[in-house]
């Protein structure tokens, strides 16, 4: 007799059915998660990302291929720069952390750089948690976690995230490190790229805060030992996780979305449920980039409290993935191998919230833009215009209201449209005289 299906097992099976038979899941990284948080009303992106659908392949199958992505040259250059920053056991990286974020601590003459190798994302997540426990149990030393794996619950589905590095300070606090290949010119960088890096780092900070809260609420004596997060079978170096991403949530959505209180060092306030041993997650991350046009590393401390609060609030607004999946027709599948008409019908069965900003963050943006224009939706004009137009949802409704054919004159949006139409008519009449 097969084991009974739990709620989590049923959801994973349902998402696998949506993804398609034998189609591997695409991992949801921090960049995609930040983009999802920027548009929490889009159920289409939420279910596709939750199911691990490759949206680039899906867009190509729909006849609207995405036109953005990082070039192979940029990836190679970025990897080479990251290797340079982390060379010699991360000595230069730790020096930058000490210089920019923690000058009062002892200089990092030596540091722990544990091996985080494990089988699968859950194993790597458990191994990361194990090493953070070890750092808590032995304060006073620097620890560098190179490409740790973190878990974050997103709309009821676990997402596994991999920051470039996490540094544990001698005081036990944690700092996220982002290494980017765009340059710092005269000490400053492109604000748009810095903002994108800050939003990405905010996702990592949220994941670390959940882990810190869980470690802080454990019974005394469990931190620093192989306990709730992982176990190491006797005679084996393999970490066996106890699915930390599926552990009970320690804080409510309201707790996660509350604006954090921060001390002078930018560390997050501890959860009311956490014990005095709960580690602190700093809200000032270290951004490392090439200096000017060289390959030498330079760093800047970036305060991400605003991005963290916005991302947490937007993620809490996401409709739970199982709720979206329950509304889909039976047999819905997003496999790129399906016929074009069947695949289009499946995608259109999930409502989307398109905005021009999607063009730089979502692989399905061209497809959604075409549908939005065909329907005459005002969302294609941008979120500010949509917010000003109130209950007018289509361009035809807007034009009819401006001509005085429909709409309540007491509606501020309708009154503004009619006033604008009158001014336009006066200008045209004056030009014809």
């Amino acid at each position: 007799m097969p084991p009974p299906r739990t709620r989590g097992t049923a959801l994973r099976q349902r998402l696998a059915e949506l993804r398609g038979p034998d189609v591997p899941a695409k991992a949801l990284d921090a960049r995609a998660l930040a983009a999802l948080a920027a548009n929490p009303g889009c159920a289409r992106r939420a279910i596709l990302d939750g199911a691990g659908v490759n949206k680039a392949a899906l867009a190509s199958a729909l006849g609207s291929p995405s036109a953005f992505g990082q070039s192979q040259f940029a990836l190679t250059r970025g990897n080479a720069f990251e290797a340079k920053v982390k060379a010699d056991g991360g000595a230069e990286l730790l020096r930058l952390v000490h210089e920019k974020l923690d000058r009062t601590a002892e200089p990092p003459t030596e540091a722990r750089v544990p091996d985080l190798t494990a089988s699968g994302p859950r194993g790597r997540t458990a191994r990361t948690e194990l090493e953070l426990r070890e750092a808590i149990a032995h304060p006073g030393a620097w620890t560098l976690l190179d490409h740790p794996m973190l878990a974050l619950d997103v709309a009821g589905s676990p997402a596994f995230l991999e920051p470039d590095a996490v540094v544990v300070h001698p005081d036990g606090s944690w700092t996220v490190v982002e290494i980017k290949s765009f340059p710092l010119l005269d000490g400053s960088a492109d604000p748009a790229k810095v903002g994108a890096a800050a939003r990405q780092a905010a996702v990592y900070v949220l994941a670390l805060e959940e882990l810190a809260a869980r470690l802080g609420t454990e019974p005394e004596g469990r931190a620093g030992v192989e306990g709730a997060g992982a176990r190491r079978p006797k005679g084996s170096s393999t970490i066996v996780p106890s699915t930390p991403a599926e552990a009970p949530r320690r804080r409510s959505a309201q707790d996660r979305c509350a604006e954090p209180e921060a001390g002078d060092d930018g560390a997050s306030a501890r959860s009311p449920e956490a014990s005095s041993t709960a580690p602190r997650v700093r809200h000032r991350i270290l951004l490392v980039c090439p200096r000017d046009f060289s390959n030498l590393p330079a760093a800047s401390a970036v305060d991400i409290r605003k991005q963290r609060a916005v991302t947490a609030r937007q993620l809490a607004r996401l409709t739970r993935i199982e709720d979206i999946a329950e509304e889909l027709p039976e047999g819905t599948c997003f496999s790129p191998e399906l016929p074009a008409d069947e695949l289009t019908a499946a995608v259109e069965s999930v409502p989307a919230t398109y905005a021009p900003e999607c063009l730089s963050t979502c692989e399905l943006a061209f497809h959604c833009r075409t549908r939005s224009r065909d329907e005459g939706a005002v969302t294609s004009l941008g979120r500010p215009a949509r917010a000003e137009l109130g209950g007018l949802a289509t361009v035809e409704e807007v034009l009819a209201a401006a001509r005085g054919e429909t709409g309540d004159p007491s509606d501020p949006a309708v009154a503004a449209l009619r006033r604008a139409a009158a001014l336009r008519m006066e200008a045209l009449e004056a030009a014809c005289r």
Side-chain angles (χ1 to χ4, degrees):
M1 174 182 293
R5 294 173 62 187
T6 64
R7 183 177 181 180
T9 303
L11 176 60
R12 287 196 295 272
Q13 182 172 337
R14 175 62 170 149
L15 295 179
E17 293 171 354
L18 292 174
R19 192 167 57 246
D22 302 324
V23 177
K26 186 177 186 298
L28 181 62
D29 59 16
R31 185 174 301 176
L33 194 52
L36 177 60
N39 192 7
C42 186
R44 180 176 298 170
R45 173 151 195 168
I47 191 66
L48 292 175
D49 282 344
V53 175
N54 187 330
K55 297 193 298 298
L58 181 60
S60 297
L62 291 171
S64 303
S66 59
F68 70 92
Q70 198 169 17
S71 68
Q72 189 61 40
F73 173 77
L75 288 172
T76 302
R77 183 174 182 272
N79 291 336
F81 176 68
E82 181 176 339
K84 181 180 180 66
V85 172
K86 294 179 178 178
D88 300 324
E92 178 64 13
L93 176 57
L94 290 169
R95 185 191 68 79
L96 292 172
V97 172
H98 177 264
E99 176 186 340
K100 298 294 183 180
L101 295 174
D102 201 357
R103 290 189 177 183
T104 60
E106 289 293 326
T109 54
E110 59 181 10
R112 291 180 62 249
V113 186
D115 181 12
L116 301 179
T117 304
S119 176
R122 296 183 185 277
R124 291 183 59 198
T125 301
R127 184 61 181 265
T128 298
E129 181 173 336
L130 174 64
E131 295 300 340
L132 286 172
R133 291 172 186 274
E134 292 291 336
I136 294 173
H138 301 89
W142 292 88
T143 300
L144 172 62
L145 301 184
D146 184 5
H147 282 288
M149 184 69 74
L150 306 173
L152 181 66
D153 185 277
V154 180
S157 180
F160 296 97
L161 312 170
E162 186 178 4
D164 292 328
V166 171
V167 173
V168 181
H169 296 246
D171 65 358
S173 59
W174 302 347
T175 289
V176 171
V177 177
E178 275 290 282
I179 303 175
K180 298 297 183 183
S181 59
F182 57 82
L184 281 175
L185 302 176
D186 295 328
S188 62
D190 184 345
K193 294 181 178 179
V194 174
R199 289 189 294 272
Q200 185 175 342
V203 177
Y204 300 137
V205 168
L206 288 172
L208 281 173
E209 285 179 345
E210 287 199 356
L211 175 56
R214 185 165 69 251
L215 295 182
T217 55
E218 290 181 349
E220 185 176 356
R222 293 189 65 182
V225 298
E226 299 169 13
R231 64 182 187 275
R232 192 194 309 270
K234 185 175 181 180
S236 171
S237 60
T238 303
I239 299 296
V240 181
S242 56
T243 60
E246 297 177 357
R249 307 298 295 275
R250 302 292 182 179
R251 295 176 291 170
S252 65
Q254 290 81 3
D255 293 331
R256 295 196 313 273
C257 297
E259 180 67 27
E261 298 178 0
D264 294 337
D265 62 353
S268 63
R270 296 172 183 173
S271 167
E273 300 175 1
S275 70
S276 59
T277 61
R280 298 173 297 159
V281 182
R282 293 174 177 247
H283 287 161
R284 294 174 68 207
I285 63 119
L286 189 75
L287 177 63
V288 183
C289 302
R291 178 185 292 114
D292 299 326
F293 298 100
S294 69
N295 201 35
L296 299 176
S300 176
V302 180
D303 191 325
I304 63 159
R305 281 178 290 181
K306 179 180 178 180
Q307 290 84 356
R308 178 244 173 237
V310 170
T311 302
R313 183 167 60 251
Q314 298 292 63
L315 290 178
R317 289 177 53 199
L318 287 174
T319 304
R320 294 186 68 82
I321 291 174
E322 58 261 39
D323 296 336
I324 302 174
E326 288 176 0
E327 298 295 327
L328 297 180
E330 190 67 28
T332 299
C333 181
F334 303 112
S335 172
E337 304 298 327
L338 293 175
D341 54 346
E342 185 177 342
L343 185 59
T344 300
V347 171
E348 294 302 316
S349 67
V350 190
T353 305
Y354 170 77
E357 293 85 353
C358 297
L359 292 172
S360 61
T361 58
C362 183
E363 295 87 342
L364 284 178
F366 289 114
H367 174 83
C368 296
R369 182 179 66 176
T370 300
R371 291 296 187 271
S372 180
R373 288 176 173 176
D374 292 343
E375 297 169 358
V378 296
T379 53
S380 60
L381 304 177
R383 292 194 181 99
R386 177 68 187 90
E388 292 290 339
L389 293 173
L392 304 174
T394 66
V395 174
E396 284 300 322
E397 291 178 0
V398 171
L399 295 177
R403 292 191 296 262
E405 299 172 359
T406 61
D408 182 1
S410 63
D411 186 338
V414 174
L417 287 169
R418 292 181 180 178
R419 176 60 177 161
L423 292 173
R424 177 178 179 275
M425 187 59 65
E426 291 176 7
L428 291 175
E429 291 174 355
C432 293
R433 292 193 187 115

